[in-house]
Amino acid sequence: MAKINANYMKLPGSYLFVEIKKRVAQFREKHPNADIISLGIGDVTQPLAPAVVKAMHQAADEMAKAATFRGYGPEQGYDFLLKAVVKGDYLARGIKISEDEVFISDGAKCDVGNIQEIFAKGCAVAVPDPVYPVYLDTNVMAGRTGELKKNGYFAGIIYLKGTAENNFCPGPPSEKADLIYLCSPNNPTGAAFSKKQLKKWVDYARKNESVIIYDSAYEAYITEPDIPHSIYEIPGAQEAAIEIRSLSKTAGFTGVRCGYTVVPQKLIGRADGDKIKLNTLWNRRQSTKFNGVSYITQKAAEAVYSEEGRAQIKQVIDYYMENARVICSGFAKLDLKMYGGVNAPYIWLKTPKGMSSWEMFDHLLAKAHVVGTPGAGFGPAGKDYFRLTAFGDAERTKEAIERIGKSF
Ligand SMILES: *Cc1c(COP(=O)(O)O)cnc(C)c1O
């Protein structure tokens, strides 16, 4: 019998969404006529922008003719999309990134999960708590942790605790981390690093020769002027950080699948005494294990950067952020403490009356017929918090907030 990768056995089951489903199903069984509204969705709901769909149709037609058909494309992405990314996301902000530093991918989850394999097993890893679970789980799978402890933490991981005191923007730890995952704007807290806070991280990484893996999947939702859209807005960050972006939340590509990872040429790792470019390693990894994103998808992604596309996706983001505003202003009238909702489509509620996040879940389901996500699912520090999302329908979101208001 083949021995398995026993690190997988260290992972707890994906308990969160299974448990949510189970509790909702039980409730429905007892209350078949209840009109349940979900503010728990971590997925977009609005359709693709017309400019994007048009580009997809045109690309599909090209694939139908021998003269314009395309087979395998470059693993790193087509030039037209690399150029659009460099120009639209970097040059436009005064950041110099070259096309050979960008790697088009099928999304941020894959990249953020795969990137750890170019680093040594012995690297000390720092992850925020609470955060998107992929950073931690993929390092557990790779054997960079010990066992899961009773308190919910893995042995051997440096946790960066987000609390109300630090506004859910933890600073660098006292110990040395080799790999640091940062998520800004953050899922689930909605918090985003300011330039000053991010500079502390870049300085720390340069001093300790660590690498920051910067997930900015929600960059397009930033509204405040002092919040950096890219970590490369911080001087020296090209020697300290890999940046991962996605069109999933930016342009509704959760089902289409396209994102990218920037690995600057200046970013160096060590192999014994030698200095190695991480860009070379990631290129080697992608060329071997990845076949690139489909031509049709990359054409769709290119359209996101067109003038028309930009205007259309902005309307959709504004729609979601109006929901966020409705949620925040609704709660401001209640005595509920909340965070986020300004630079991200997530609202992070402190549970009232000493409720645990699961008690809050049960309360909202029973009393308001509203489903959200218990903070405990994003890490132990989330146990007294609750996540609501702005990805729903505007009318239903309003209704949900009125119902929540009446439930307390
Ligand atoms: C949704 C999300 C992503 C996007 O992942 P894709 O694979 O590109 O769909 C990445 N990071 C975070 C924190 C997210 O919430």
Side-chain angles (χ1 to χ4, degrees):
M1 234 184 283
K3 272 198 174 175
I4 60 147
N5 175 354
N7 293 313
Y8 277 64
M9 307 306 287
K10 296 176 187 166
L11 291 166
S14 66
Y15 160 81
L16 178 73
F17 290 101
V18 176
E19 183 63 24
I20 289 175
K21 241 178 137 173
K22 193 178 105 194
R23 291 191 193 200
V24 173
Q26 278 170 355
F27 184 81
R28 271 193 207 282
E29 207 167 288
K30 279 191 208 144
H31 309 273
N33 297 322
D35 171 30
I36 297 173
I37 303 178
S38 178
L39 294 186
I41 5 169
D43 194 357
V44 295
T45 55
Q46 295 293 306
L48 294 171
V52 167
V53 176
K54 192 171 144 205
M56 288 175 101
H57 280 299
Q58 281 171 353
D61 287 341
E62 285 180 47
M63 294 297 271
K65 291 183 216 108
T68 47
F69 166 79
R70 297 183 189 233
Y72 288 123
E75 287 96 353
Q76 302 78 1
Y78 284 105
D79 259 352
F80 62 80
L81 183 55
L82 294 170
K83 285 200 166 81
V85 166
V86 164
K87 185 164 170 262
D89 288 340
Y90 294 103
L91 287 181
R93 296 193 181 278
I95 301 163
K96 268 178 97 175
I97 290 287
S98 62
E99 278 124 48
D100 63 7
E101 297 176 304
V102 180
F103 297 83
I104 305 298
S105 74
D106 56 348
K109 184 187 194 175
C110 317
D111 286 356
V112 97
N114 291 328
I115 196 80
Q116 48 76 28
E117 71 176 64
I118 65 169
F119 297 97
K121 195 173 159 184
C123 282
V125 176
V127 291
D129 170 31
V131 87
Y132 185 62
V134 177
Y135 318 145
L136 176 62
D137 289 1
T138 52
N139 277 288
V140 174
M141 291 170 175
R144 286 195 191 85
T145 73
E147 298 293 330
L148 179 61
K149 297 185 284 187
K150 276 213 176 63
N151 60 7
Y153 290 109
F154 275 95
I157 288 282
I158 300 165
Y159 285 92
L160 310 167
K161 210 165 163 177
T163 62
E165 287 69 41
N166 62 25
N167 264 312
F168 302 96
C169 290
S174 48
E175 65 263 63
K176 184 177 176 304
D178 300 307
L179 285 183
I180 301 148
Y181 290 82
L182 297 179
C183 181
S184 181
N186 183 285
N187 176 8
T189 68
F193 287 113
S194 67
K195 285 202 174 115
K196 205 171 141 195
Q197 287 168 327
L198 203 50
K199 182 177 183 303
K200 280 193 187 153
W201 273 110
V202 170
D203 292 348
Y204 169 94
R206 293 181 72 189
K207 189 171 141 232
N208 292 289
E209 297 192 328
S210 18
V211 173
I212 296 169
I213 297 157
Y214 194 72
D215 179 351
S216 56
Y218 297 95
E219 169 274 331
Y221 290 81
I222 292 172
T223 61
E224 290 182 317
D226 183 47
I227 305 298
H229 287 248
S230 163
I231 193 167
Y232 305 125
E233 289 178 41
I234 311 299
Q238 294 195 21
E239 286 143 49
I242 290 169
E243 180 158 278
I244 299 178
R245 291 257 187 108
S246 168
L247 293 182
S248 283
K249 316 305 171 7
T250 304
F253 272 49
T254 51
V256 178
R257 310 301 316 144
C258 195
Y260 66 83
T261 286
V262 179
V263 188
Q265 297 288 359
K266 287 182 188 160
L267 196 55
I268 303 291
R270 282 188 190 279
D272 299 321
D274 298 335
K275 291 183 171 179
I276 309 286
K277 277 187 184 183
L278 297 185
N279 182 287
T280 309
L281 291 189
W282 187 243
N283 192 30
R284 187 71 175 86
R285 191 269 172 206
Q286 290 297 80
S287 310
T288 301
K289 296 195 182 182
F290 186 57
N291 260 327
V293 178
S294 80
Y295 176 70
I296 297 172
T297 296
Q298 292 193 57
K299 274 290 173 186
E302 183 190 27
V304 169
Y305 292 91
S306 68
E307 204 175 313
E308 209 188 352
R310 266 181 195 288
Q312 290 164 355
I313 66 165
K314 184 175 180 303
Q315 275 184 5
V316 176
I317 291 170
D318 289 348
Y319 175 88
Y320 294 137
M321 289 310 278
E322 173 60 17
N323 287 343
R325 200 196 56 74
V326 164
I327 297 172
C328 290
S329 68
F331 288 143
K333 289 180 209 141
L334 305 172
D335 226 4
L336 287 176
K337 261 217 157 316
M338 78 202 145
Y339 305 87
V342 177
N343 296 305
Y346 295 119
I347 289 89
W348 189 236
L349 270 182
K350 174 83 179 70
T351 56
K353 301 173 188 166
M355 281 185 197
S356 74
S357 63
W358 280 108
E359 283 165 353
M360 176 85 166
F361 179 89
D362 291 336
H363 169 93
L364 292 183
L365 181 56
K367 300 279 174 3
H369 301 175
V370 170
V371 175
T373 313
F378 301 97
K383 69 179 175 38
D384 304 323
Y385 291 89
F386 200 75
R387 191 192 76 173
L388 295 176
T389 80
F391 286 129
D393 171 81
E395 286 309 311
R396 299 286 280 167
T397 300
K398 270 186 201 142
E399 158 107 27
I401 299 313
E402 277 165 27
R403 290 194 207 164
I404 293 173
K406 286 181 199 147
S407 80
F408 284 107

